[in-house]
Amino acid sequence: MSHLDRFKNISVIGAAGKMGSGILLLNVLHATKLMHHAPYLGQTFVINAIDQDFEHLQGLMNYLKEQLQKWAEKNIVELRKLYANRAHLIDNKDIIEAFVFEALSLVKPSINMEAAYHSTLIFEAIIEDETIKSSVLKQINDNNPHEPFFLTNTSAIPIEVLNQKAQLDGRIIGCHFYNPPAVQKLIEVVELKGGHPELSKIVDGFARHMDKLIVPSFDVAGFVGNGFFMREILFAEKMYNDLRKELDAQQALLITDKVSHELMMRPMGIFQLVDYVGIDVCVLIMKVMNTYLDEEIVSPLLTGLLEKGVRGGQHHDGSQKEGLFKYVKGRPVELYDIDTDKYVALKAPASKADEYLSVQTKVYSWNQLSRSKYREQHLKEAFEHLANEDSRGARLLKTYMAAMKALGLQLKEDGVTASTDYVNAVMMNGFYHLYGPVNDYNF
Amino acid sequence: MQKRVFIVAGYNTVSLGSGRSEFNPKKENPGLAHYIQEAGRKVLARINGAEHVDESVIGNFIASRFNNQAHLAAFIPSIDEKLKYKPAIRVEGACASGGLAVMTGVKSILAGTADVVLIVGVEVQNTVKAMYGADFLAQADYYPKRKDGHAYFFPGKFSDRAGAYASAYGEEYMRKGLAQWYVNCVENARLCETAQEFENKSDKLMETGLLPPDGSRFVDHLNYTDCSKVSDGASAIAIVSEEGLKRTGIAPNKAIELVGFAQAEDNIMEEPVDPLELSTTKAAVNRALSMAGIGKEQLATVETHDCFTIAGVLATEAIGFAAKGHGAAYVAEGNTARNGTIPFNTTGGLIAWGHPTGATGVHQVVTIWEQLTGQAGQAQIKVPDNKPYGMTVNMGGNDKTVVSMVFKKCK
C-alpha cells in the first residue's frame, strides 16, 4: 500500500473537538486534492468523523460546511482549474457549491468507534489523558485488520507510552497540530524511537501537500511546544508572586501580562494565552508532564482558579470564555481579581499598571510589527533602548527575556530538541512570536 | 446637430465599497432605491423641480443578479411623485449602460419628444463577495465563453490584453505605465470627496503599483491595483434643449453643450481583432471628434473607461494621443496626470473614484460637466480658453459597446 493509499480510508477520533475539527478539515481538503488527480480519479474516499454525541457532530458538520465554503471562495482560481473538465459547472458559484457538496460527502459522522475498524490511518485528537487515549487506540488496533497507522495529536504524553500501552508495535507517531490546525502552519512531529519508518514519510507528504511546516521534537513529555509554554507559565507565576509582595493581585497579574505582551511585543500576554488555551487544559498538560518528568510542573495559581470554576477556553463558535480576563469580541475588557473573586473593569488597573511600569521606550504593537517589513530593525532598536533603560518595566522585561532564553537552552540540554532553532521555530510559528526566545537581543 | 443639447445639474453619490471608512461589507448597506432617489432628487432640486422633467432614463447593468431586482424604470417615480405617469426607460449595455442612458436622453431631445430628460445611472454590487460578482459581471461577455474563462472573468480578459502588450513591448515597460496610471488615479481621487479612494493615505502608491502580479492568487498580468473598484453608487444629470435650459432657469455658464457623440458596437461572440488595440473605442472616439469638428489636441480633459489600468493605457492609443505601443510610455512620462499634457480621469476614474457599473457612463459626464463649469472643487483642473472641450469614453464588455461624447464649455 502506498503512502497516499492510506488516506483513502481514514478516521479522526475526537473530530468534533477544537483540534479534531481542524484536523478533520485538513484531511477533507487533502482528500479533495487527491481525488481530482490520477491515480485516484473516481475512487472512493472515506473520512470517518468520530465523536461522542450527535449534537457535537451536527455542530461539526455545520462548521465544516462553513470552512469549506470559505476555503473554496478563497481558492476559486485553483478550484476552477480543478473542475475544468466538468462542463456543466460554469459559474464560480456552481463550482464552489459542487466542491463543498463533494467534500462534505466524504465525511461520515459517527458516534461508534467501530467506524475506525476499516481505516488505514487514524488521527487521534481526544482528551489529553494517557489511559483514555491508549485504551481507544488499543481498541481500534485490536479490531482493525489493516494494521493502521496512528497519528496522535498529543501535546504532552510520550509517544512511547502510548505505543506500549496500546500495543501498537511502533505504528504510531506524534503529530501535534497547533490551534487552529487549518490555519496554523506548524506541526510538531515526534517520531517514536524504533517506530515504523513509513510514518514520518506519510506525515512529511501530508505536510507538503497542505503547505505545513514540520518541526521535529524528541519524545520527551510536553515536547517543545508545551515544554516551553508550561514552564513559561510557571515563570510568569513566579513573577506574579514576586510582584504580589508589593502590589495587589490585580496589579501583579496585569503587570506580568503586560510585560509578556506589550513589552515583549507578542500577540497576547501570557495570562491571556492561558485563557485562550484554557486554564483546565493547561492544568491537565502540567499534570501529564509531571507524571513523566523529574521536575515539579505545578501551578498553584491555575489550580486555584480552576477550583473556583474559572476555566477559560473557547466556546464552540470560537469566542473566548471567561478566564483571567472577561472578553468582548475577543478583546479583554475585565480582569479577574483573585483577592475578591470578582471581575473588575480593565481600564483603571491598566493605567495604573502602565504607571508602575513607566516605560520610556516606544514599543510597537505586535499588529504593527507583524505587518511591517522593517520588523527586524524595529525590534532591534526597541530592545536596544529597553536594555539601556532603567524603568521598572524594562527591568521586568530583562528578567523575563533572560528567563525565556534560559528555557529555550534548557530544552536542548534536556534532550527535548536537537537545536534551539527548533525551539524558536515552534514559538514563532505555533505561538506567532515575532522572534525566538533564543536570540541575540541584549538581555 | 439639428438642435443644441445641453448638460446641466450633475450629481454623484459616494462611490461606496472597500476603501471608504463608512463601508462595512458585513452590515446592510444602502440599496438601489436609496441611490436612485439620492442622485435623482439632487438633480431635480438643481433644475428647480420635477415638473420640468419630460422623460427619464435609467442606466443599469445587472441589478437582476446583484439585487434580484429588474424593472428599474419603475423606480423613477419614487424619486418624486411628479414623475409618476411620465415616460421612463431602463437601458442596458453592460458597463456602458450609463453612457447609453445619456445617449438615449440626447436622442429624445434631438427627436423633439422632450426638452428636459433626467438621466440616472446606478449599480449596487457589494451585495455578494467578489468571486460571485465576477459570475454576474461575466455576462458582459458571450456566456458560452464563461466556462473557459478565468475565475475573475474580466480581470482575466484584460490580463490577456496586458500579457499581449507585455509580450509585444516588454513587461517592465508596460508595468511602469500601469503603475503610473494607478498613481494618477489615486492622487486624483484624494481630491474628490465622493471617490472610493478619497481616504487613501498610502505613501507607497508607485511601489505598490510596480509589484509583479501573482497568477496563482489572481490573474497573470494584473494586480488588484490594476483593477477598478467594486462599487455601489449612482450618478445623475439632466439633458436639456435650449427651451429646457430656459424652463429650468439654469444659467448658461452652469451648462455644457454636447457637440459630438458616437456609439459603436462590436460582435460579442468574437474575440478582439487585435488584443493590443481598443478598436471599437477607436471607432467611437473618431466619430465623436469628427462630429464635434475638433481634433484631440483641443480637448482639455478626458474621462476614459479605465476598468483596468491597461484599458487606460490602450485608450491613450485608441484616442490617438500615443502611437500604438507607446501608450505606456506616454502615461509613465506624466502626460495623463492632472498637470500633464491632457489630464485623464481627474477624480480618479474607475480605478480610484469607483466603478458602479451602470452609473459609470453618467459619472464620466458629470465629471466633465464639473470640470468645464468650474465646479470640480479641489479636483478642478485648468481649462484653457483654446481648449474648451472635454470627452468621455464609456466601454461595455471587452471593447464591445462604446459610447463617446464630446462636450464644450458654455459662455
Side-chain angles (χ1 to χ4, degrees), chain A residues 69 73 75-77 80 83-84 86 89-93 96 373, chain B residues 129 131-132 134-135 143 146-147 149-152 207 215 217:
Chain A
Q69 172 108 7
E73 288 171 350
N75 293 277
I76 184 60
V77 175
R80 232 183 136 80
Y83 283 80
R86 306 269 280 274
L89 299 175
I90 295 169
D91 281 348
N92 292 337
K93 186 168 184 279
I96 289 166
K373 62 178 182 177
Chain B
K129 292 179 183 173
M131 72 290 304
Y132 302 115
D135 288 335
Y143 191 67
R146 175 67 182 116
K147 177 64 184 170
H150 195 276
Y152 296 96
E207 203 176 301
R217 306 300 299 172

PDB file of all heavy atoms in Angstrom, chain A residues 69 73 75-77 80 83-84 86 89-93 96 373, chain B residues 129 131-132 134-135 143 146-147 149-152 207 215 217:
ATOM      1  N   GLN A  69     -16.662  26.232   2.501  1.00  0.00           N
ATOM      2  CA  GLN A  69     -17.149  27.313   1.641  1.00  0.00           C
ATOM      3  C   GLN A  69     -16.122  28.451   1.598  1.00  0.00           C
ATOM      4  O   GLN A  69     -15.782  28.961   0.533  1.00  0.00           O
ATOM      5  CB  GLN A  69     -18.480  27.828   2.201  1.00  0.00           C
ATOM      6  CG  GLN A  69     -19.010  29.059   1.521  1.00  0.00           C
ATOM      7  CD  GLN A  69     -20.224  28.762   0.663  1.00  0.00           C
ATOM      8  OE1 GLN A  69     -20.759  27.657   0.678  1.00  0.00           O
ATOM      9  NE2 GLN A  69     -20.648  29.732  -0.096  1.00  0.00           N
ATOM     10  N   GLU A  73     -14.029  29.701  -1.661  1.00  0.00           N
ATOM     11  CA  GLU A  73     -14.100  31.079  -2.148  1.00  0.00           C
ATOM     12  C   GLU A  73     -12.707  31.676  -2.275  1.00  0.00           C
ATOM     13  O   GLU A  73     -12.379  32.347  -3.242  1.00  0.00           O
ATOM     14  CB  GLU A  73     -14.959  31.922  -1.195  1.00  0.00           C
ATOM     15  CG  GLU A  73     -16.440  31.581  -1.290  1.00  0.00           C
ATOM     16  CD  GLU A  73     -17.279  32.238  -0.204  1.00  0.00           C
ATOM     17  OE1 GLU A  73     -16.697  32.809   0.755  1.00  0.00           O
ATOM     18  OE2 GLU A  73     -18.515  32.163  -0.294  1.00  0.00           O
ATOM     19  N   ASN A  75      -9.931  30.078  -2.684  1.00  0.00           N
ATOM     20  CA  ASN A  75      -9.087  29.357  -3.638  1.00  0.00           C
ATOM     21  C   ASN A  75      -9.809  29.093  -4.960  1.00  0.00           C
ATOM     22  O   ASN A  75      -9.552  28.096  -5.621  1.00  0.00           O
ATOM     23  CB  ASN A  75      -8.626  28.039  -3.014  1.00  0.00           C
ATOM     24  CG  ASN A  75      -7.684  28.276  -1.854  1.00  0.00           C
ATOM     25  OD1 ASN A  75      -6.503  28.480  -2.054  1.00  0.00           O
ATOM     26  ND2 ASN A  75      -8.220  28.297  -0.651  1.00  0.00           N
ATOM     27  N   ILE A  76     -10.686  30.016  -5.335  1.00  0.00           N
ATOM     28  CA  ILE A  76     -11.506  29.794  -6.529  1.00  0.00           C
ATOM     29  C   ILE A  76     -10.653  29.692  -7.793  1.00  0.00           C
ATOM     30  O   ILE A  76     -11.000  28.939  -8.722  1.00  0.00           O
ATOM     31  CB  ILE A  76     -12.604  30.893  -6.662  1.00  0.00           C
ATOM     32  CG1 ILE A  76     -13.531  30.609  -7.844  1.00  0.00           C
ATOM     33  CG2 ILE A  76     -12.018  32.268  -6.745  1.00  0.00           C
ATOM     34  CD1 ILE A  76     -14.284  29.310  -7.774  1.00  0.00           C
ATOM     35  N   VAL A  77      -9.535  30.387  -7.827  1.00  0.00           N
ATOM     36  CA  VAL A  77      -8.685  30.322  -9.035  1.00  0.00           C
ATOM     37  C   VAL A  77      -8.187  28.890  -9.230  1.00  0.00           C
ATOM     38  O   VAL A  77      -8.290  28.313 -10.315  1.00  0.00           O
ATOM     39  CB  VAL A  77      -7.497  31.307  -8.924  1.00  0.00           C
ATOM     40  CG1 VAL A  77      -6.549  31.146 -10.105  1.00  0.00           C
ATOM     41  CG2 VAL A  77      -8.011  32.738  -8.867  1.00  0.00           C
ATOM     42  N   ARG A  80     -11.202  26.368  -9.962  1.00  0.00           N
ATOM     43  CA  ARG A  80     -11.724  26.431 -11.340  1.00  0.00           C
ATOM     44  C   ARG A  80     -10.925  25.541 -12.271  1.00  0.00           C
ATOM     45  O   ARG A  80     -11.469  24.893 -13.151  1.00  0.00           O
ATOM     46  CB  ARG A  80     -11.693  27.887 -11.834  1.00  0.00           C
ATOM     47  CG  ARG A  80     -13.001  28.353 -12.366  1.00  0.00           C
ATOM     48  CD  ARG A  80     -13.040  29.715 -12.914  1.00  0.00           C
ATOM     49  NE  ARG A  80     -13.800  29.656 -14.153  1.00  0.00           N
ATOM     50  CZ  ARG A  80     -15.127  29.637 -14.223  1.00  0.00           C
ATOM     51  NH1 ARG A  80     -15.842  29.724 -13.136  1.00  0.00           N
ATOM     52  NH2 ARG A  80     -15.730  29.548 -15.384  1.00  0.00           N
ATOM     53  N   TYR A  83     -11.824  21.867 -11.682  1.00  0.00           N
ATOM     54  CA  TYR A  83     -13.125  21.460 -12.223  1.00  0.00           C
ATOM     55  C   TYR A  83     -13.257  21.804 -13.708  1.00  0.00           C
ATOM     56  O   TYR A  83     -14.369  21.841 -14.242  1.00  0.00           O
ATOM     57  CB  TYR A  83     -14.259  22.130 -11.434  1.00  0.00           C
ATOM     58  CG  TYR A  83     -14.519  21.480 -10.097  1.00  0.00           C
ATOM     59  CD1 TYR A  83     -13.711  21.770  -9.006  1.00  0.00           C
ATOM     60  CD2 TYR A  83     -15.545  20.566  -9.923  1.00  0.00           C
ATOM     61  CE1 TYR A  83     -13.926  21.178  -7.773  1.00  0.00           C
ATOM     62  CE2 TYR A  83     -15.770  19.961  -8.695  1.00  0.00           C
ATOM     63  CZ  TYR A  83     -14.955  20.275  -7.623  1.00  0.00           C
ATOM     64  OH  TYR A  83     -15.170  19.685  -6.407  1.00  0.00           O
ATOM     65  N   ALA A  84     -12.132  22.017 -14.354  1.00  0.00           N
ATOM     66  CA  ALA A  84     -12.167  22.456 -15.760  1.00  0.00           C
ATOM     67  C   ALA A  84     -12.870  21.456 -16.668  1.00  0.00           C
ATOM     68  O   ALA A  84     -13.499  21.844 -17.656  1.00  0.00           O
ATOM     69  CB  ALA A  84     -10.752  22.703 -16.258  1.00  0.00           C
ATOM     70  N   ARG A  86     -15.427  19.581 -15.985  1.00  0.00           N
ATOM     71  CA  ARG A  86     -16.842  19.357 -15.651  1.00  0.00           C
ATOM     72  C   ARG A  86     -17.663  20.429 -16.369  1.00  0.00           C
ATOM     73  O   ARG A  86     -17.886  21.524 -15.835  1.00  0.00           O
ATOM     74  CB  ARG A  86     -17.042  19.423 -14.130  1.00  0.00           C
ATOM     75  CG  ARG A  86     -16.118  18.482 -13.358  1.00  0.00           C
ATOM     76  CD  ARG A  86     -16.760  17.141 -13.133  1.00  0.00           C
ATOM     77  NE  ARG A  86     -17.685  17.227 -12.023  1.00  0.00           N
ATOM     78  CZ  ARG A  86     -17.328  17.080 -10.736  1.00  0.00           C
ATOM     79  NH1 ARG A  86     -16.081  16.830 -10.411  1.00  0.00           N
ATOM     80  NH2 ARG A  86     -18.230  17.159  -9.787  1.00  0.00           N
ATOM     81  N   LEU A  89     -20.436  22.715 -14.882  1.00  0.00           N
ATOM     82  CA  LEU A  89     -20.123  23.649 -13.792  1.00  0.00           C
ATOM     83  C   LEU A  89     -19.457  24.876 -14.401  1.00  0.00           C
ATOM     84  O   LEU A  89     -18.286  24.842 -14.772  1.00  0.00           O
ATOM     85  CB  LEU A  89     -19.202  22.987 -12.765  1.00  0.00           C
ATOM     86  CG  LEU A  89     -19.777  21.753 -12.077  1.00  0.00           C
ATOM     87  CD1 LEU A  89     -18.746  21.107 -11.169  1.00  0.00           C
ATOM     88  CD2 LEU A  89     -21.031  22.112 -11.284  1.00  0.00           C
ATOM     89  N   ILE A  90     -20.216  25.947 -14.527  1.00  0.00           N
ATOM     90  CA  ILE A  90     -19.749  27.104 -15.301  1.00  0.00           C
ATOM     91  C   ILE A  90     -19.376  28.283 -14.397  1.00  0.00           C
ATOM     92  O   ILE A  90     -18.255  28.754 -14.412  1.00  0.00           O
ATOM     93  CB  ILE A  90     -20.823  27.523 -16.323  1.00  0.00           C
ATOM     94  CG1 ILE A  90     -20.992  26.371 -17.331  1.00  0.00           C
ATOM     95  CG2 ILE A  90     -20.417  28.808 -17.044  1.00  0.00           C
ATOM     96  CD1 ILE A  90     -22.165  26.496 -18.248  1.00  0.00           C
ATOM     97  N   ASP A  91     -20.319  28.734 -13.613  1.00  0.00           N
ATOM     98  CA  ASP A  91     -20.053  29.891 -12.754  1.00  0.00           C
ATOM     99  C   ASP A  91     -19.212  29.484 -11.543  1.00  0.00           C
ATOM    100  O   ASP A  91     -19.233  28.323 -11.123  1.00  0.00           O
ATOM    101  CB  ASP A  91     -21.369  30.498 -12.268  1.00  0.00           C
ATOM    102  CG  ASP A  91     -22.020  31.378 -13.335  1.00  0.00           C
ATOM    103  OD1 ASP A  91     -21.340  31.684 -14.336  1.00  0.00           O
ATOM    104  OD2 ASP A  91     -23.190  31.748 -13.159  1.00  0.00           O
ATOM    105  N   ASN A  92     -18.528  30.464 -10.973  1.00  0.00           N
ATOM    106  CA  ASN A  92     -17.778  30.203  -9.729  1.00  0.00           C
ATOM    107  C   ASN A  92     -18.705  29.601  -8.679  1.00  0.00           C
ATOM    108  O   ASN A  92     -18.316  28.700  -7.931  1.00  0.00           O
ATOM    109  CB  ASN A  92     -17.188  31.507  -9.182  1.00  0.00           C
ATOM    110  CG  ASN A  92     -16.096  32.069 -10.074  1.00  0.00           C
ATOM    111  OD1 ASN A  92     -15.486  31.334 -10.848  1.00  0.00           O
ATOM    112  ND2 ASN A  92     -15.860  33.360  -9.973  1.00  0.00           N
ATOM    113  N   LYS A  93     -19.925  30.135  -8.632  1.00  0.00           N
ATOM    114  CA  LYS A  93     -20.886  29.665  -7.630  1.00  0.00           C
ATOM    115  C   LYS A  93     -21.171  28.170  -7.820  1.00  0.00           C
ATOM    116  O   LYS A  93     -21.207  27.415  -6.845  1.00  0.00           O
ATOM    117  CB  LYS A  93     -22.183  30.469  -7.764  1.00  0.00           C
ATOM    118  CG  LYS A  93     -23.218  30.190  -6.715  1.00  0.00           C
ATOM    119  CD  LYS A  93     -24.313  31.250  -6.802  1.00  0.00           C
ATOM    120  CE  LYS A  93     -25.335  31.090  -5.699  1.00  0.00           C
ATOM    121  NZ  LYS A  93     -26.322  30.055  -5.985  1.00  0.00           N
ATOM    122  N   ILE A  96     -18.074  26.228  -6.594  1.00  0.00           N
ATOM    123  CA  ILE A  96     -17.930  26.277  -5.128  1.00  0.00           C
ATOM    124  C   ILE A  96     -18.957  25.349  -4.477  1.00  0.00           C
ATOM    125  O   ILE A  96     -18.633  24.566  -3.581  1.00  0.00           O
ATOM    126  CB  ILE A  96     -18.060  27.733  -4.620  1.00  0.00           C
ATOM    127  CG1 ILE A  96     -16.822  28.532  -5.038  1.00  0.00           C
ATOM    128  CG2 ILE A  96     -18.241  27.775  -3.104  1.00  0.00           C
ATOM    129  CD1 ILE A  96     -16.951  30.031  -4.902  1.00  0.00           C
ATOM    130  N   LYS A 373       7.633  45.473   7.075  1.00  0.00           N
ATOM    131  CA  LYS A 373       8.800  44.801   6.503  1.00  0.00           C
ATOM    132  C   LYS A 373      10.084  45.257   7.214  1.00  0.00           C
ATOM    133  O   LYS A 373      11.162  44.735   6.958  1.00  0.00           O
ATOM    134  CB  LYS A 373       8.863  45.013   4.994  1.00  0.00           C
ATOM    135  CG  LYS A 373       9.007  46.418   4.531  1.00  0.00           C
ATOM    136  CD  LYS A 373       9.103  46.418   3.016  1.00  0.00           C
ATOM    137  CE  LYS A 373       9.305  47.826   2.509  1.00  0.00           C
ATOM    138  NZ  LYS A 373       9.469  47.886   1.071  1.00  0.00           N
TER     139      LYS A 373
ATOM    140  N   LYS B 129     -19.922  38.524  -2.474  1.00  0.00           N
ATOM    141  CA  LYS B 129     -18.459  38.556  -2.483  1.00  0.00           C
ATOM    142  C   LYS B 129     -17.957  38.625  -3.925  1.00  0.00           C
ATOM    143  O   LYS B 129     -18.661  38.224  -4.857  1.00  0.00           O
ATOM    144  CB  LYS B 129     -17.916  37.300  -1.797  1.00  0.00           C
ATOM    145  CG  LYS B 129     -18.202  37.252  -0.315  1.00  0.00           C
ATOM    146  CD  LYS B 129     -17.643  35.975   0.273  1.00  0.00           C
ATOM    147  CE  LYS B 129     -17.978  35.875   1.753  1.00  0.00           C
ATOM    148  NZ  LYS B 129     -17.600  34.578   2.316  1.00  0.00           N
ATOM    149  N   MET B 131     -15.977  36.944  -5.817  1.00  0.00           N
ATOM    150  CA  MET B 131     -15.928  35.795  -6.740  1.00  0.00           C
ATOM    151  C   MET B 131     -17.323  35.459  -7.298  1.00  0.00           C
ATOM    152  O   MET B 131     -17.432  34.877  -8.367  1.00  0.00           O
ATOM    153  CB  MET B 131     -15.273  34.568  -6.085  1.00  0.00           C
ATOM    154  CG  MET B 131     -16.034  33.843  -5.039  1.00  0.00           C
ATOM    155  SD  MET B 131     -16.227  34.756  -3.487  1.00  0.00           S
ATOM    156  CE  MET B 131     -14.566  35.140  -3.010  1.00  0.00           C
ATOM    157  N   TYR B 132     -18.373  35.843  -6.565  1.00  0.00           N
ATOM    158  CA  TYR B 132     -19.731  35.648  -7.093  1.00  0.00           C
ATOM    159  C   TYR B 132     -20.111  36.815  -8.013  1.00  0.00           C
ATOM    160  O   TYR B 132     -20.782  36.630  -9.029  1.00  0.00           O
ATOM    161  CB  TYR B 132     -20.739  35.511  -5.952  1.00  0.00           C
ATOM    162  CG  TYR B 132     -20.407  34.362  -5.021  1.00  0.00           C
ATOM    163  CD1 TYR B 132     -20.068  34.588  -3.697  1.00  0.00           C
ATOM    164  CD2 TYR B 132     -20.397  33.050  -5.482  1.00  0.00           C
ATOM    165  CE1 TYR B 132     -19.741  33.538  -2.846  1.00  0.00           C
ATOM    166  CE2 TYR B 132     -20.071  31.990  -4.645  1.00  0.00           C
ATOM    167  CZ  TYR B 132     -19.745  32.250  -3.324  1.00  0.00           C
ATOM    168  OH  TYR B 132     -19.412  31.205  -2.494  1.00  0.00           O
ATOM    169  N   ALA B 134     -18.111  38.267  -9.862  1.00  0.00           N
ATOM    170  CA  ALA B 134     -17.410  38.001 -11.130  1.00  0.00           C
ATOM    171  C   ALA B 134     -18.298  37.189 -12.076  1.00  0.00           C
ATOM    172  O   ALA B 134     -18.264  37.376 -13.292  1.00  0.00           O
ATOM    173  CB  ALA B 134     -16.103  37.263 -10.862  1.00  0.00           C
ATOM    174  N   ASP B 135     -19.087  36.278 -11.497  1.00  0.00           N
ATOM    175  CA  ASP B 135     -20.023  35.495 -12.322  1.00  0.00           C
ATOM    176  C   ASP B 135     -21.033  36.414 -13.011  1.00  0.00           C
ATOM    177  O   ASP B 135     -21.336  36.258 -14.192  1.00  0.00           O
ATOM    178  CB  ASP B 135     -20.819  34.508 -11.459  1.00  0.00           C
ATOM    179  CG  ASP B 135     -19.973  33.343 -10.963  1.00  0.00           C
ATOM    180  OD1 ASP B 135     -18.966  33.028 -11.622  1.00  0.00           O
ATOM    181  OD2 ASP B 135     -20.334  32.756  -9.926  1.00  0.00           O
ATOM    182  N   TYR B 143     -21.695  34.377 -23.056  1.00  0.00           N
ATOM    183  CA  TYR B 143     -21.764  33.439 -21.931  1.00  0.00           C
ATOM    184  C   TYR B 143     -21.124  32.064 -22.211  1.00  0.00           C
ATOM    185  O   TYR B 143     -20.496  31.502 -21.318  1.00  0.00           O
ATOM    186  CB  TYR B 143     -23.216  33.283 -21.459  1.00  0.00           C
ATOM    187  CG  TYR B 143     -23.300  32.529 -20.146  1.00  0.00           C
ATOM    188  CD1 TYR B 143     -22.782  33.097 -18.970  1.00  0.00           C
ATOM    189  CD2 TYR B 143     -23.847  31.258 -20.079  1.00  0.00           C
ATOM    190  CE1 TYR B 143     -22.823  32.404 -17.775  1.00  0.00           C
ATOM    191  CE2 TYR B 143     -23.889  30.564 -18.882  1.00  0.00           C
ATOM    192  CZ  TYR B 143     -23.382  31.146 -17.739  1.00  0.00           C
ATOM    193  OH  TYR B 143     -23.413  30.463 -16.549  1.00  0.00           O
ATOM    194  N   ARG B 146     -17.760  31.568 -20.788  1.00  0.00           N
ATOM    195  CA  ARG B 146     -17.541  31.663 -19.342  1.00  0.00           C
ATOM    196  C   ARG B 146     -16.773  30.466 -18.793  1.00  0.00           C
ATOM    197  O   ARG B 146     -15.892  30.603 -17.962  1.00  0.00           O
ATOM    198  CB  ARG B 146     -18.896  31.790 -18.614  1.00  0.00           C
ATOM    199  CG  ARG B 146     -18.803  31.778 -17.095  1.00  0.00           C
ATOM    200  CD  ARG B 146     -18.102  33.031 -16.596  1.00  0.00           C
ATOM    201  NE  ARG B 146     -17.923  33.071 -15.149  1.00  0.00           N
ATOM    202  CZ  ARG B 146     -16.740  33.071 -14.549  1.00  0.00           C
ATOM    203  NH1 ARG B 146     -15.623  33.001 -15.252  1.00  0.00           N
ATOM    204  NH2 ARG B 146     -16.641  33.150 -13.229  1.00  0.00           N
ATOM    205  N   LYS B 147     -17.120  29.272 -19.273  1.00  0.00           N
ATOM    206  CA  LYS B 147     -16.502  28.070 -18.718  1.00  0.00           C
ATOM    207  C   LYS B 147     -14.979  28.091 -18.850  1.00  0.00           C
ATOM    208  O   LYS B 147     -14.258  27.698 -17.943  1.00  0.00           O
ATOM    209  CB  LYS B 147     -17.084  26.823 -19.410  1.00  0.00           C
ATOM    210  CG  LYS B 147     -16.467  25.506 -18.951  1.00  0.00           C
ATOM    211  CD  LYS B 147     -16.740  25.234 -17.486  1.00  0.00           C
ATOM    212  CE  LYS B 147     -16.036  23.977 -17.017  1.00  0.00           C
ATOM    213  NZ  LYS B 147     -16.092  23.825 -15.550  1.00  0.00           N
ATOM    214  N   GLY B 149     -13.206  30.703 -19.145  1.00  0.00           N
ATOM    215  CA  GLY B 149     -12.653  31.962 -18.643  1.00  0.00           C
ATOM    216  C   GLY B 149     -12.058  31.822 -17.258  1.00  0.00           C
ATOM    217  O   GLY B 149     -12.185  30.790 -16.597  1.00  0.00           O
ATOM    218  N   HIS B 150     -11.404  32.880 -16.827  1.00  0.00           N
ATOM    219  CA  HIS B 150     -10.788  32.917 -15.505  1.00  0.00           C
ATOM    220  C   HIS B 150     -11.866  33.037 -14.431  1.00  0.00           C
ATOM    221  O   HIS B 150     -12.975  33.498 -14.713  1.00  0.00           O
ATOM    222  CB  HIS B 150      -9.857  34.135 -15.448  1.00  0.00           C
ATOM    223  CG  HIS B 150      -8.912  34.103 -14.297  1.00  0.00           C
ATOM    224  ND1 HIS B 150      -9.244  34.531 -13.041  1.00  0.00           N
ATOM    225  CD2 HIS B 150      -7.636  33.659 -14.221  1.00  0.00           C
ATOM    226  CE1 HIS B 150      -8.209  34.382 -12.236  1.00  0.00           C
ATOM    227  NE2 HIS B 150      -7.218  33.847 -12.915  1.00  0.00           N
ATOM    228  N   ALA B 151     -11.528  32.602 -13.209  1.00  0.00           N
ATOM    229  CA  ALA B 151     -12.473  32.752 -12.096  1.00  0.00           C
ATOM    230  C   ALA B 151     -12.927  34.217 -12.010  1.00  0.00           C
ATOM    231  O   ALA B 151     -14.108  34.497 -11.811  1.00  0.00           O
ATOM    232  CB  ALA B 151     -11.826  32.318 -10.791  1.00  0.00           C
ATOM    233  N   TYR B 152     -11.966  35.122 -12.122  1.00  0.00           N
ATOM    234  CA  TYR B 152     -12.289  36.553 -12.179  1.00  0.00           C
ATOM    235  C   TYR B 152     -12.290  36.913 -13.669  1.00  0.00           C
ATOM    236  O   TYR B 152     -11.249  37.280 -14.233  1.00  0.00           O
ATOM    237  CB  TYR B 152     -11.279  37.356 -11.371  1.00  0.00           C
ATOM    238  CG  TYR B 152     -11.370  36.993  -9.906  1.00  0.00           C
ATOM    239  CD1 TYR B 152     -10.509  36.055  -9.344  1.00  0.00           C
ATOM    240  CD2 TYR B 152     -12.369  37.529  -9.103  1.00  0.00           C
ATOM    241  CE1 TYR B 152     -10.628  35.680  -8.014  1.00  0.00           C
ATOM    242  CE2 TYR B 152     -12.490  37.164  -7.782  1.00  0.00           C
ATOM    243  CZ  TYR B 152     -11.619  36.238  -7.239  1.00  0.00           C
ATOM    244  OH  TYR B 152     -11.749  35.874  -5.932  1.00  0.00           O
ATOM    245  N   GLU B 207       5.285  52.182  -5.521  1.00  0.00           N
ATOM    246  CA  GLU B 207       5.866  50.902  -5.079  1.00  0.00           C
ATOM    247  C   GLU B 207       4.820  49.783  -5.211  1.00  0.00           C
ATOM    248  O   GLU B 207       5.093  48.701  -5.712  1.00  0.00           O
ATOM    249  CB  GLU B 207       6.274  51.056  -3.611  1.00  0.00           C
ATOM    250  CG  GLU B 207       7.342  50.099  -3.133  1.00  0.00           C
ATOM    251  CD  GLU B 207       7.704  50.453  -1.699  1.00  0.00           C
ATOM    252  OE1 GLU B 207       8.135  51.607  -1.458  1.00  0.00           O
ATOM    253  OE2 GLU B 207       7.528  49.604  -0.837  1.00  0.00           O
ATOM    254  N   GLY B 215      -0.117  35.261 -10.505  1.00  0.00           N
ATOM    255  CA  GLY B 215      -1.166  34.498 -11.192  1.00  0.00           C
ATOM    256  C   GLY B 215      -1.737  33.356 -10.376  1.00  0.00           C
ATOM    257  O   GLY B 215      -2.840  32.889 -10.658  1.00  0.00           O
ATOM    258  N   ARG B 217      -2.697  33.555  -7.310  1.00  0.00           N
ATOM    259  CA  ARG B 217      -3.754  34.078  -6.450  1.00  0.00           C
ATOM    260  C   ARG B 217      -4.802  34.851  -7.243  1.00  0.00           C
ATOM    261  O   ARG B 217      -5.965  34.892  -6.868  1.00  0.00           O
ATOM    262  CB  ARG B 217      -3.191  35.011  -5.363  1.00  0.00           C
ATOM    263  CG  ARG B 217      -2.114  34.429  -4.522  1.00  0.00           C
ATOM    264  CD  ARG B 217      -2.558  33.190  -3.771  1.00  0.00           C
ATOM    265  NE  ARG B 217      -3.663  33.454  -2.849  1.00  0.00           N
ATOM    266  CZ  ARG B 217      -4.323  32.507  -2.208  1.00  0.00           C
ATOM    267  NH1 ARG B 217      -4.005  31.249  -2.404  1.00  0.00           N
ATOM    268  NH2 ARG B 217      -5.291  32.808  -1.386  1.00  0.00           N
TER     269      ARG B 217
END
